[in-house]
Amino acid sequence: LVDKFCEKHNLKYKKVIRACLNRNTHVPGYVHGDPHVDFSLDHIVLLIYLSSSSISSTLVFDKVQRFDDVNGCYFAPQTFPIKKAVMPDFGKIFAFNGRYYHSSMTPPIGEDRIACVFNLLIDKPWYRYLGFS
């Protein structure tokens, strides 16, 4: 699925540097998780949604991280303006430049939000991947 999606959208990557399943449940008092980036090298974040939701969207914020620090993941203590919000639908695939801070909305009580997350290492300059797929 990852290869087919990347071929269709002309996204070139060297290798998968991280793959995981994320399962989010309701967290009282939180609208969304902490804005963060997943990795400290230029990469594409590719999500495959394994559940559907009408409110727990993926948020990509209008803020990018410079990768001039080697400490790994970056977390922001505040929030930023939203650049794009994507509603999860089972089977939908969404990709974006890994330099963008992102998070997910907290699902409602009794609803799980499940996504398969891939971080794809890129060898092209990061500015070529500013768009969304």
Side-chain angles (χ1 to χ4, degrees), residues 36-101:
H36 65 279
V37 297
D38 295 337
F39 200 72
S40 60
L41 296 173
D42 284 317
H43 66 286
I44 297 167
V45 176
L46 188 139
L47 302 170
I48 301 174
Y49 295 107
L50 302 177
S51 65
S52 297
S53 175
S54 60
I55 66 167
S56 58
S57 61
T58 298
L59 301 176
V60 180
F61 297 100
D62 196 13
K63 170 79 172 166
V64 294
Q65 174 65 49
R66 289 182 16 221
F67 293 147
D68 56 1
D69 185 350
V70 294
N71 290 328
C73 300
Y74 296 84
F75 293 87
Q78 73 277 5
T79 192
F80 306 110
I82 296 170
K83 183 173 183 71
K84 181 135 181 121
V86 175
M87 289 295 180
D89 289 318
F90 180 81
K92 179 192 259 183
I93 301 175
F94 172 56
F96 59 94
N97 183 313
R99 283 182 179 251
Y100 280 100
Y101 280 89

